[in-house]
Amino acid sequence: MKLITAVIKPHKWEDVREALETFGVTGMTVSEVSGYGRQKGHTEVYRGAEYDIALVPKIRIEIVVDDADVEDVVGIVAKTAQTGRIGDGKVWVSPVDTVVRVRTGEKDEAAL
C-alpha cells in the first residue's frame, strides 16, 4: 500500500476529484492549505498598491491505494491538475506499513 499526497491549485480540485472518482478511487482526505515553492509567493496589485502574497492557497489530497494502482492514480492527478504554469503543485508517494479501519478493526488491504 502507498500514500499518495498531492498539492494542487484550488481551481483544479473539482477536475481532479471527478477524474479520481471515474477511475474508482472511493476515499480521500482533502485539506485547504497554504504554502510556497520556488516562486516564494507572488505579487498582486490592489487599488493601485502592490503587495506580496507570501503563502499561496492550495489543496492537499491524500489517498491510500493498493500498490497496483499507484502509477495510474499519480498519472491521473498529475495530468488533470496540470496547467503548465508555475505553482501547479507536486505529487509524492510514501509507503504505508499498516492501515486500520477504526469502525471494524479491519487491517491493511481489507481496510481500504
XYZ file of all heavy atoms in Angstrom:
860
model
N 0.839 -1.180 0.000
C 0.000 0.000 0.000
C 0.881 1.238 0.000
O 1.970 1.222 0.557
C -0.893 0.030 1.234
C -1.967 -1.005 1.261
S -2.903 -0.928 2.797
C -1.641 -1.377 3.961
N 0.359 2.294 -0.618
C 1.079 3.560 -0.686
C 0.140 4.712 -0.356
O -1.058 4.644 -0.622
C 1.640 3.798 -2.086
C 2.567 2.716 -2.592
C 3.918 2.819 -1.973
C 4.877 1.908 -2.704
N 5.601 1.009 -1.888
N 0.728 5.763 0.223
C 0.011 7.015 0.462
C 0.424 7.980 -0.635
O 1.601 8.306 -0.760
C 0.363 7.589 1.832
C -0.133 9.013 2.109
C -1.660 9.054 2.136
C 0.442 9.539 3.405
N -0.530 8.415 -1.414
C -0.282 9.409 -2.451
C -0.741 10.748 -1.897
O -1.896 10.895 -1.489
C -1.031 9.076 -3.747
C -0.554 7.732 -4.285
C -0.852 10.186 -4.776
C -1.354 7.211 -5.449
N 0.166 11.712 -1.874
C -0.145 13.053 -1.404
C 0.079 14.010 -2.557
O 1.121 13.963 -3.210
C 0.766 13.445 -0.221
O 0.644 12.455 0.798
C 0.374 14.794 0.340
N -0.902 14.850 -2.816
C -0.789 15.827 -3.900
C -1.155 17.199 -3.367
O -2.090 17.336 -2.572
C -1.714 15.454 -5.052
N -0.424 18.205 -3.810
C -0.739 19.592 -3.504
C -0.973 20.265 -4.847
O -0.083 20.275 -5.705
C 0.400 20.275 -2.720
C 0.091 21.737 -2.499
C 0.623 19.567 -1.397
N -2.197 20.795 -5.047
C -2.588 21.337 -6.352
C -3.241 22.713 -6.191
O -3.573 23.123 -5.083
C -3.565 20.386 -7.083
C -4.871 20.229 -6.295
C -2.913 19.027 -7.320
C -5.964 19.497 -7.029
N -3.451 23.364 -7.324
C -4.158 24.648 -7.313
C -5.634 24.416 -7.001
O -6.237 23.445 -7.474
C -4.019 25.331 -8.676
C -2.621 25.818 -8.956
C -2.555 26.546 -10.285
C -1.181 27.147 -10.483
N -1.088 27.916 -11.718
N -6.242 25.313 -6.224
C -7.641 25.115 -5.821
C -8.629 25.005 -6.980
O -9.573 24.227 -6.917
C -7.945 26.345 -4.966
C -6.630 26.793 -4.452
C -5.637 26.463 -5.542
N -8.414 25.754 -8.051
C -9.388 25.722 -9.146
C -9.346 24.415 -9.937
O -10.250 24.141 -10.728
C -9.208 26.935 -10.074
C -7.995 26.877 -10.939
N -6.761 27.294 -10.512
C -7.845 26.449 -12.210
C -5.885 27.127 -11.483
N -6.520 26.612 -12.530
N -8.351 23.560 -9.709
C -8.263 22.261 -10.390
C -8.854 21.128 -9.557
O -8.967 20.002 -10.024
C -6.804 21.946 -10.735
C -6.166 22.916 -11.707
C -6.881 22.971 -13.043
C -6.598 21.758 -13.872
N -7.218 21.783 -15.195
N -9.261 21.419 -8.321
C -9.743 20.391 -7.408
C -10.917 19.597 -7.968
O -10.915 18.368 -7.934
C -10.081 20.998 -6.049
C -11.037 20.172 -5.245
C -12.248 20.556 -4.774
C -10.876 18.808 -4.846
N -12.846 19.522 -4.097
C -12.030 18.430 -4.143
C -9.887 17.864 -5.037
C -12.211 17.160 -3.607
C -10.069 16.588 -4.510
C -11.210 16.255 -3.803
N -11.941 20.249 -8.471
C -13.122 19.526 -8.963
C -12.773 18.610 -10.129
O -13.278 17.486 -10.204
C -14.235 20.505 -9.361
C -14.995 21.067 -8.179
C -15.691 19.995 -7.345
O -16.253 19.029 -7.902
O -15.672 20.134 -6.109
N -11.910 19.071 -11.030
C -11.485 18.233 -12.160
C -10.753 16.984 -11.668
O -10.996 15.874 -12.152
C -10.575 19.015 -13.107
C -11.281 20.192 -13.765
O -12.528 20.174 -13.857
O -10.578 21.135 -14.184
N -9.860 17.158 -10.708
C -9.107 16.034 -10.157
C -10.048 15.074 -9.441
O -9.964 13.853 -9.610
C -7.982 16.529 -9.217
C -7.338 15.372 -8.476
C -6.946 17.318 -10.007
N -10.967 15.602 -8.644
C -11.920 14.752 -7.917
C -12.742 13.901 -8.877
O -12.889 12.689 -8.694
C -12.849 15.601 -7.052
C -13.835 14.758 -6.216
C -14.892 15.622 -5.553
N -15.682 16.390 -6.491
C -16.680 15.894 -7.234
N -17.008 14.620 -7.144
N -17.350 16.659 -8.064
N -13.263 14.527 -9.919
C -14.076 13.793 -10.897
C -13.263 12.714 -11.598
O -13.749 11.592 -11.809
C -14.673 14.761 -11.911
C -15.769 15.632 -11.334
C -16.246 16.713 -12.294
O -15.834 16.699 -13.473
O -17.023 17.573 -11.852
N -12.024 13.022 -11.959
C -11.165 12.040 -12.628
C -10.861 10.860 -11.710
O -10.879 9.698 -12.141
C -9.877 12.708 -13.097
N -10.591 11.131 -10.441
C -10.313 10.057 -9.491
C -11.547 9.192 -9.249
O -11.448 7.970 -9.153
C -9.799 10.633 -8.175
C -8.386 11.218 -8.213
C -8.091 11.968 -6.918
C -7.348 10.138 -8.466
N -12.712 9.813 -9.143
C -13.939 9.041 -8.951
C -14.237 8.178 -10.168
O -14.691 7.046 -10.031
C -15.103 9.971 -8.640
C -15.059 10.519 -7.228
C -16.217 11.452 -6.913
O -17.032 11.747 -7.804
O -16.288 11.902 -5.753
N -13.973 8.689 -11.364
C -14.168 7.911 -12.587
C -13.250 6.697 -12.597
O -13.643 5.610 -13.026
C -13.904 8.785 -13.833
O -14.832 9.872 -13.823
C -14.062 7.998 -15.108
N -12.016 6.855 -12.101
C -11.061 5.745 -12.030
C -11.491 4.710 -10.996
O -11.169 3.536 -11.106
C -9.662 6.264 -11.706
C -8.645 5.172 -11.572
C -8.173 4.501 -12.690
C -8.165 4.803 -10.325
C -7.238 3.480 -12.563
C -7.228 3.789 -10.188
C -6.757 3.128 -11.315
N -12.220 5.137 -9.962
C -12.680 4.209 -8.945
C -12.133 4.459 -7.565
O -12.298 3.628 -6.666
N -11.473 5.589 -7.357
C -10.991 5.938 -6.016
C -12.212 6.264 -5.164
O -13.013 7.124 -5.505
C -10.014 7.135 -6.070
C -9.685 7.615 -4.667
C -8.753 6.759 -6.816
N -12.345 5.549 -4.045
C -13.551 5.711 -3.235
C -13.357 6.567 -2.003
O -14.329 7.008 -1.407
C -14.069 4.332 -2.781
O -13.019 3.670 -2.070
C -14.499 3.502 -3.964
N -12.119 6.797 -1.595
C -11.901 7.590 -0.396
C -10.641 8.430 -0.497
O -9.653 8.011 -1.090
N -10.712 9.615 0.067
C -9.561 10.507 0.095
C -9.776 11.534 1.187
O -10.895 11.757 1.625
C -9.357 11.185 -1.259
C -10.486 12.104 -1.690
S -10.320 12.704 -3.363
C -11.041 11.363 -4.285
N -8.705 12.159 1.604
C -8.766 13.249 2.558
C -8.307 14.505 1.838
O -7.285 14.486 1.152
C -7.853 12.977 3.772
O -8.294 11.769 4.393
C -7.906 14.114 4.765
N -9.072 15.583 1.983
C -8.763 16.834 1.290
C -8.679 17.950 2.322
O -9.537 18.059 3.193
C -9.853 17.154 0.241
C -9.545 18.447 -0.475
C -9.987 16.013 -0.747
N -7.626 18.760 2.210
C -7.413 19.876 3.130
C -7.103 21.136 2.338
O -6.471 21.068 1.293
C -6.229 19.607 4.058
O -6.338 18.368 4.681
N -7.548 22.269 2.870
C -7.135 23.554 2.314
C -5.865 23.955 3.042
O -5.856 24.037 4.275
C -8.223 24.601 2.508
C -9.463 24.321 1.696
C -10.532 25.386 1.862
O -10.242 26.454 2.442
O -11.656 25.132 1.436
N -4.794 24.176 2.291
C -3.500 24.509 2.878
C -2.932 25.744 2.182
O -3.459 26.196 1.167
C -2.510 23.325 2.765
C -3.002 22.141 3.572
C -2.269 22.937 1.327
N -1.849 26.278 2.731
C -1.150 27.402 2.125
C 0.335 27.104 2.128
O 0.829 26.430 3.022
C -1.399 28.687 2.899
O -2.763 29.023 2.882
N 1.042 27.619 1.150
C 2.478 27.408 1.097
C 3.078 28.110 -0.095
O 2.418 28.882 -0.790
N 4.334 27.839 -0.319
C 5.004 28.386 -1.491
C 6.134 27.457 -1.897
O 6.605 26.640 -1.118
C 5.523 29.797 -1.246
C 6.621 29.916 -0.220
C 7.950 29.745 -0.574
C 6.317 30.197 1.095
C 8.955 29.843 0.360
C 7.315 30.315 2.041
C 8.642 30.129 1.664
O 9.629 30.241 2.599
N 6.534 27.584 -3.145
C 7.639 26.799 -3.679
C 8.758 27.727 -4.105
O 9.045 28.723 -3.449
N 9.335 27.428 -5.237
C 10.457 28.223 -5.739
C 10.101 29.680 -5.956
O 10.935 30.563 -5.835
C 10.958 27.657 -7.056
C 11.672 26.367 -6.904
C 12.247 25.934 -8.218
N 12.835 24.615 -8.065
C 13.114 23.839 -9.072
N 12.877 24.224 -10.297
N 13.651 22.658 -8.858
N 8.842 29.950 -6.307
C 8.455 31.330 -6.626
C 8.322 32.207 -5.388
O 8.197 33.412 -5.486
C 7.160 31.359 -7.447
C 5.890 31.134 -6.649
C 5.511 29.688 -6.415
O 6.264 28.776 -6.687
N 4.323 29.469 -5.889
N 8.337 31.614 -4.190
C 8.239 32.358 -2.924
C 7.013 33.263 -2.868
O 7.084 34.408 -2.475
C 9.504 33.197 -2.685
C 10.789 32.417 -2.730
C 10.994 31.628 -1.460
C 12.382 31.061 -1.386
N 12.498 29.698 -1.807
N 5.871 32.757 -3.291
C 4.650 33.561 -3.324
C 4.581 34.370 -4.601
O 5.224 34.041 -5.592
N 3.792 35.426 -4.600
C 3.692 36.282 -5.769
C 3.253 37.681 -5.357
O 2.892 37.931 -4.222
C 2.757 35.682 -6.822
C 1.335 35.540 -6.359
N 0.887 34.457 -5.658
C 0.267 36.357 -6.503
C -0.403 34.601 -5.382
N -0.804 35.746 -5.879
N 3.278 38.590 -6.334
C 2.906 39.977 -6.094
C 1.582 40.265 -6.776
O 1.351 39.826 -7.905
C 3.986 40.927 -6.650
O 5.225 40.581 -6.034
C 3.666 42.363 -6.348
N 0.695 40.991 -6.109
C -0.570 41.413 -6.694
C -0.749 42.910 -6.496
O -0.109 43.514 -5.642
C -1.751 40.669 -6.062
C -1.830 39.225 -6.494
C -3.168 38.601 -6.179
O -4.094 39.316 -5.731
O -3.292 37.392 -6.383
N -1.634 43.473 -7.313
C -1.940 44.892 -7.201
C -3.396 45.024 -6.766
O -4.292 44.424 -7.362
C -1.708 45.620 -8.542
C -2.109 47.068 -8.429
C -0.260 45.481 -8.977
N -3.634 45.801 -5.698
C -4.989 46.031 -5.207
C -5.152 47.530 -5.004
O -4.412 48.150 -4.240
C -5.211 45.280 -3.885
C -6.575 45.496 -3.307
C -7.701 44.927 -3.887
C -6.745 46.278 -2.173
C -8.954 45.119 -3.352
C -8.004 46.480 -1.628
C -9.102 45.898 -2.219
O -10.343 46.091 -1.695
N -6.104 48.113 -5.720
C -6.373 49.554 -5.663
C -5.102 50.375 -5.874
O -4.824 51.339 -5.162
C -7.039 49.937 -4.357
C -8.411 49.335 -4.219
C -9.118 49.896 -3.020
N -10.470 49.366 -2.965
C -11.334 49.660 -2.047
N -11.023 50.494 -1.093
N -12.536 49.136 -2.065
N -4.319 49.945 -6.825
C -3.115 50.680 -7.192
C -1.908 50.424 -6.325
O -0.814 50.889 -6.630
N -2.076 49.672 -5.248
C -0.947 49.382 -4.362
C -0.476 47.946 -4.605
O -1.281 47.025 -4.700
C -1.353 49.550 -2.911
N 0.807 47.764 -4.719
C 1.387 46.452 -4.933
C 1.739 45.836 -3.580
O 2.281 46.501 -2.704
C 2.646 46.603 -5.786
C 3.167 45.308 -6.319
C 4.301 45.512 -7.303
O 4.029 45.858 -8.463
O 5.447 45.337 -6.881
N 1.407 44.546 -3.412
C 1.761 43.876 -2.167
C 2.120 42.427 -2.453
O 1.717 41.862 -3.469
C 0.633 43.983 -1.128
C -0.657 43.343 -1.539
C -0.981 42.067 -1.093
C -1.567 43.995 -2.362
C -2.168 41.470 -1.465
C -2.761 43.404 -2.736
C -3.057 42.143 -2.286
O -4.225 41.550 -2.657
N 2.903 41.843 -1.554
C 3.370 40.472 -1.708
C 2.434 39.506 -1.001
O 1.985 39.760 0.113
C 4.780 40.311 -1.121
C 5.818 41.068 -1.926
O 5.655 41.162 -3.155
O 6.795 41.541 -1.316
N 2.180 38.393 -1.658
C 1.446 37.292 -1.052
C 2.462 36.185 -0.833
O 2.940 35.575 -1.786
C 0.292 36.819 -1.955
C -0.705 37.941 -2.147
C -0.362 35.576 -1.375
C -1.844 37.621 -3.071
N 2.833 35.966 0.423
C 3.888 35.009 0.741
C 3.384 33.569 0.687
O 4.087 32.673 0.241
C 4.473 35.312 2.111
N 2.164 33.325 1.147
C 1.610 31.975 1.163
C 0.465 31.879 0.164
O -0.508 32.614 0.248
C 1.113 31.617 2.567
C 2.196 31.552 3.638
C 1.569 31.294 4.996
C 3.213 30.479 3.315
N 0.604 30.961 -0.754
C -0.365 30.777 -1.825
C -1.352 29.680 -1.407
O -0.936 28.621 -0.918
C 0.363 30.383 -3.130
C -0.611 30.180 -4.258
C 1.400 31.439 -3.484
N -2.670 29.887 -1.587
C -3.642 28.842 -1.233
C -3.526 27.630 -2.157
O -3.349 27.777 -3.370
C -4.999 29.529 -1.383
C -4.758 30.734 -2.209
C -3.320 31.097 -2.086
N -3.610 26.443 -1.568
C -3.521 25.181 -2.295
C -4.517 24.190 -1.712
O -5.092 24.413 -0.651
C -2.111 24.580 -2.185
C -0.998 25.443 -2.731
C -0.977 25.420 -4.224
C 0.210 26.223 -4.749
N 0.335 26.096 -6.167
N -4.692 23.074 -2.406
C -5.491 21.952 -1.929
C -4.554 20.763 -1.772
O -3.780 20.455 -2.676
C -6.618 21.594 -2.928
C -7.603 22.738 -3.090
C -7.328 20.302 -2.521
C -8.450 23.030 -1.881
N -4.630 20.097 -0.613
C -3.815 18.907 -0.362
C -4.735 17.696 -0.370
O -5.738 17.665 0.363
C -3.101 19.024 0.979
C -2.264 17.817 1.326
C -1.633 18.004 2.695
N -0.992 16.784 3.127
C 0.273 16.722 3.522
N 1.007 17.808 3.551
N 0.777 15.579 3.907
N -4.395 16.719 -1.187
C -5.185 15.497 -1.333
C -4.337 14.327 -0.847
O -3.176 14.197 -1.235
C -5.571 15.264 -2.807
C -6.267 16.494 -3.378
C -6.435 14.017 -2.953
C -6.351 16.490 -4.890
N -4.924 13.483 -0.010
C -4.234 12.291 0.476
C -5.092 11.072 0.163
O -6.278 11.034 0.495
C -3.977 12.396 1.970
C -3.035 13.539 2.322
C -2.928 13.801 3.797
O -3.979 14.094 4.414
O -1.804 13.702 4.318
N -4.468 10.083 -0.495
C -5.177 8.887 -0.928
C -4.305 7.672 -0.621
O -3.130 7.655 -0.985
C -5.447 8.906 -2.449
C -6.084 10.225 -2.872
C -6.307 7.725 -2.868
C -5.986 10.475 -4.366
N -4.851 6.667 0.036
C -4.146 5.405 0.241
C -4.671 4.423 -0.795
O -5.879 4.214 -0.908
C -4.349 4.866 1.669
C -3.659 3.517 1.829
C -3.828 5.853 2.696
N -3.740 3.863 -1.580
C -4.130 2.940 -2.649
C -3.286 1.679 -2.588
O -2.207 1.653 -2.010
C -4.000 3.587 -4.049
C -4.926 4.773 -4.191
C -2.579 3.959 -4.354
N -3.785 0.647 -3.223
C -3.056 -0.596 -3.382
C -1.861 -0.348 -4.309
O -1.915 0.506 -5.192
C -3.998 -1.648 -3.968
C -3.435 -3.044 -3.868
O -2.959 -3.430 -2.783
O -3.453 -3.750 -4.884
N -0.785 -1.094 -4.135
C 0.425 -0.903 -4.944
C 0.147 -0.941 -6.445
O 0.773 -0.225 -7.214
C 1.470 -1.961 -4.599
C 2.088 -1.754 -3.220
O 2.119 -0.598 -2.754
O 2.538 -2.741 -2.615
N -0.798 -1.772 -6.870
C -1.094 -1.918 -8.294
C -1.689 -0.654 -8.913
O -1.584 -0.449 -10.129
C -2.041 -3.095 -8.506
N -2.302 0.205 -8.102
C -2.978 1.394 -8.626
C -2.157 2.679 -8.522
O -2.600 3.728 -8.980
C -4.303 1.608 -7.881
C -5.288 0.490 -8.145
O -5.237 -0.100 -9.238
O -6.102 0.213 -7.250
N -0.965 2.608 -7.946
C -0.193 3.815 -7.671
C 0.102 4.616 -8.933
O -0.177 5.816 -9.001
C 1.119 3.475 -6.929
C 2.027 4.688 -6.846
C 0.807 2.954 -5.543
N 0.671 3.988 -9.939
C 1.063 4.711 -11.160
C -0.149 5.345 -11.843
O -0.074 6.472 -12.331
C 1.801 3.789 -12.124
C 3.181 3.390 -11.636
C 4.099 4.586 -11.420
O 4.101 5.517 -12.249
O 4.818 4.583 -10.401
N -1.270 4.623 -11.885
C -2.481 5.159 -12.518
C -2.990 6.393 -11.779
O -3.320 7.405 -12.395
C -3.586 4.096 -12.570
C -3.269 2.972 -13.540
O -2.531 3.221 -14.519
O -3.743 1.849 -13.309
N -3.071 6.301 -10.450
C -3.600 7.413 -9.662
C -2.672 8.626 -9.744
O -3.130 9.760 -9.938
C -3.855 6.985 -8.203
C -4.225 8.178 -7.339
C -4.957 5.929 -8.144
N -1.366 8.412 -9.642
C -0.414 9.514 -9.766
C -0.548 10.170 -11.139
O -0.575 11.397 -11.260
C 1.035 9.032 -9.523
C 2.041 10.099 -9.932
C 1.226 8.654 -8.063
N -0.656 9.365 -12.176
C -0.811 9.900 -13.531
C -2.083 10.709 -13.707
O -2.072 11.773 -14.335
N -3.173 10.229 -13.138
C -4.450 10.945 -13.227
C -4.353 12.299 -12.542
O -4.759 13.317 -13.092
C -5.594 10.100 -12.617
C -5.914 8.919 -13.523
C -6.830 10.944 -12.355
C -6.806 7.871 -12.890
N -3.807 12.322 -11.330
C -3.699 13.578 -10.591
C -2.793 14.553 -11.338
O -3.153 15.718 -11.545
C -3.181 13.344 -9.153
C -2.893 14.668 -8.459
C -4.184 12.534 -8.352
N -1.618 14.086 -11.757
C -0.660 14.970 -12.421
C -1.215 15.523 -13.735
O -1.094 16.721 -14.014
C 0.650 14.233 -12.667
N -1.844 14.683 -14.517
C -2.380 15.125 -15.812
C -3.557 16.080 -15.628
O -3.662 17.093 -16.308
C -2.807 13.916 -16.637
C -3.335 14.276 -17.996
C -3.741 13.054 -18.778
C -4.326 13.474 -20.110
N -4.874 12.353 -20.854
N -4.441 15.768 -14.705
C -5.645 16.573 -14.517
C -5.349 17.912 -13.863
O -5.980 18.922 -14.171
C -6.676 15.794 -13.670
O -6.861 14.504 -14.238
C -8.004 16.506 -13.640
N -4.362 17.962 -12.974
C -4.048 19.202 -12.256
C -3.127 20.132 -13.043
O -2.959 21.287 -12.681
C -3.409 18.874 -10.914
N -2.553 19.639 -14.121
C -1.560 20.413 -14.862
C -2.175 21.577 -15.638
O -3.158 21.419 -16.344
C -0.836 19.500 -15.844
C 0.281 20.171 -16.590
C 0.985 19.211 -17.524
O 0.390 18.258 -18.006
N 2.249 19.454 -17.773
N -1.569 22.767 -15.455
C -1.961 23.939 -16.245
C -0.801 24.432 -17.097
O -0.990 25.235 -17.987
C -2.409 25.106 -15.340
O -1.297 25.578 -14.589
C -3.543 24.709 -14.423
N 0.412 23.972 -16.775
C 1.596 24.411 -17.492
C 2.211 25.684 -16.938
O 3.107 26.262 -17.539
N 1.724 26.136 -15.801
C 2.240 27.357 -15.183
C 2.936 27.039 -13.875
O 2.691 25.994 -13.261
C 1.103 28.336 -14.917
C 0.456 28.809 -16.176
C -0.588 29.828 -15.855
N -0.881 30.600 -17.059
C -1.771 31.528 -17.123
N -2.469 31.842 -16.045
N -1.984 32.174 -18.245
N 3.748 27.970 -13.417
C 4.433 27.811 -12.141
C 3.392 27.652 -11.038
O 2.380 28.338 -11.015
C 5.327 29.033 -11.861
C 6.487 29.051 -12.852
C 5.842 29.026 -10.427
C 7.344 30.285 -12.759
N 3.653 26.731 -10.114
C 2.762 26.544 -8.974
C 1.686 25.508 -9.183
O 0.746 25.434 -8.396
N 1.803 24.675 -10.226
C 0.814 23.624 -10.453
C 0.746 22.646 -9.297
O -0.289 22.072 -9.026
C 1.109 22.858 -11.735
C 0.553 23.539 -12.960
O -0.197 24.522 -12.821
O 0.847 23.075 -14.078
N 1.853 22.435 -8.591
C 1.845 21.580 -7.418
C 2.820 20.443 -7.514
O 3.691 20.394 -8.380
N 2.668 19.488 -6.609
C 3.529 18.314 -6.524
C 2.683 17.105 -6.153
O 1.639 17.227 -5.523
C 4.585 18.485 -5.429
C 5.569 19.602 -5.621
C 6.756 19.144 -6.422
C 7.868 20.165 -6.459
N 7.543 21.423 -7.074
N 3.188 15.922 -6.522
C 2.597 14.652 -6.108
C 3.745 13.796 -5.586
O 4.777 13.701 -6.247
C 1.909 13.924 -7.288
C 1.323 12.599 -6.822
C 0.846 14.798 -7.930
N 3.570 13.205 -4.406
C 4.593 12.297 -3.923
C 3.948 11.063 -3.344
O 2.780 11.059 -2.980
C 5.566 12.961 -2.955
C 5.007 13.544 -1.710
C 4.934 12.944 -0.492
C 4.455 14.861 -1.538
N 4.366 13.810 0.410
C 4.077 14.992 -0.198
C 4.247 15.938 -2.398
C 3.494 16.147 0.313
C 3.683 17.093 -1.896
C 3.313 17.191 -0.558
N 4.748 9.989 -3.289
C 4.262 8.676 -2.868
C 5.107 8.204 -1.686
O 6.328 8.272 -1.733
C 4.368 7.665 -4.028
C 3.873 6.301 -3.602
C 3.602 8.167 -5.254
N 4.424 7.725 -0.646
C 5.094 7.222 0.555
C 4.590 5.817 0.865
O 3.407 5.523 0.664
C 4.784 8.117 1.759
O 5.089 9.457 1.484
N 5.452 4.956 1.385
C 4.997 3.616 1.773
C 4.089 3.671 3.001
O 4.247 4.534 3.859
C 6.291 2.865 2.086
C 7.295 3.920 2.373
C 6.878 5.152 1.614
N 3.139 2.752 3.057
C 2.237 2.629 4.203
C 2.419 1.229 4.764
O 2.241 0.245 4.049
C 0.766 2.855 3.782
C -0.177 2.569 4.941
C 0.571 4.260 3.257
N 2.777 1.141 6.036
C 3.002 -0.160 6.655
C 1.706 -0.821 7.082
O 1.496 -2.005 6.853
C 3.923 -0.024 7.870
C 5.321 0.424 7.476
O 5.772 0.061 6.373
O 5.949 1.144 8.262
N 0.826 -0.057 7.721
C -0.413 -0.622 8.254
C -1.541 0.388 8.157
O -1.330 1.575 8.370
C -0.232 -1.007 9.743
O 0.858 -1.919 9.858
C -1.478 -1.643 10.307
N -2.729 -0.116 7.844
C -3.943 0.687 7.852
C -4.969 -0.065 8.698
O -5.119 -1.274 8.540
C -4.508 0.892 6.425
C -5.841 1.613 6.475
C -3.524 1.622 5.560
N -5.650 0.644 9.586
C -6.683 0.026 10.407
C -7.956 0.840 10.256
O -7.960 2.050 10.450
C -6.276 -0.016 11.900
C -7.401 -0.592 12.742
C -4.991 -0.787 12.087
N -9.050 0.185 9.888
C -10.353 0.838 9.859
C -10.872 0.870 11.294
O -11.083 -0.176 11.911
C -11.320 0.089 8.954
C -12.683 0.772 8.892
C -13.580 0.172 7.866
N -12.942 0.392 6.571
C -13.321 -0.198 5.446
N -14.333 -1.016 5.437
N -12.679 0.042 4.321
N -11.065 2.053 11.817
C -11.413 2.223 13.222
C -12.747 1.560 13.545
O -12.888 0.885 14.580
C -11.439 3.726 13.595
C -11.930 3.927 15.002
C -10.054 4.336 13.406
N -13.744 1.710 12.699
C -15.083 1.198 12.990
C -15.107 -0.316 13.147
O -15.743 -0.858 14.059
C -16.054 1.610 11.870
C -17.472 1.078 12.047
C -18.412 1.558 10.940
N -17.945 1.294 9.602
C -18.152 0.160 8.930
N -18.826 -0.835 9.487
N -17.681 0.013 7.713
N -14.388 -1.055 12.258
C -14.480 -2.515 12.250
C -13.223 -3.224 12.727
O -13.258 -4.414 13.008
C -14.776 -3.008 10.821
O -13.682 -2.643 9.981
C -16.081 -2.451 10.310
N -12.109 -2.523 12.778
C -10.860 -3.159 13.158
C -10.163 -3.862 12.007
O -9.123 -4.479 12.202
N -10.736 -3.786 10.803
C -10.091 -4.420 9.638
C -8.732 -3.795 9.421
O -8.523 -2.627 9.667
C -10.944 -4.218 8.382
C -12.287 -4.911 8.438
C -13.183 -4.518 7.285
O -13.480 -3.315 7.180
O -13.548 -5.400 6.510
N -7.791 -4.624 8.895
C -6.427 -4.151 8.707
C -5.992 -4.260 7.243
O -6.495 -5.112 6.504
C -5.445 -4.954 9.564
C -5.537 -4.640 11.030
C -4.419 -5.295 11.775
C -4.411 -4.792 13.204
N -3.234 -5.254 13.926
N -5.062 -3.402 6.902
C -4.362 -3.391 5.622
C -5.319 -3.351 4.426
O -6.191 -2.496 4.396
C -3.365 -4.544 5.559
C -2.340 -4.423 6.692
O -1.999 -3.286 7.068
O -1.871 -5.457 7.193
N -5.175 -4.245 3.457
C -5.985 -4.168 2.242
C -7.489 -4.226 2.532
O -8.281 -3.591 1.855
C -5.612 -5.270 1.239
C -4.335 -4.984 0.485
C -3.085 -5.343 1.291
O -3.203 -6.057 2.313
O -2.013 -4.875 0.902
N -7.877 -4.974 3.547
C -9.295 -5.062 3.905
C -9.832 -3.726 4.407
O -11.021 -3.443 4.304
C -9.508 -6.135 4.964
N -8.942 -2.877 4.927
C -9.360 -1.574 5.454
C -9.515 -0.536 4.357
O -10.075 0.529 4.597
C -8.359 -1.085 6.489
N -8.960 -0.809 3.189
C -9.088 0.154 2.097
C -10.491 0.125 1.568
O -11.049 1.025 1.106
C -8.095 -0.147 0.971
C -6.627 0.029 1.333
C -5.769 -0.288 0.118
C -6.333 1.431 1.821
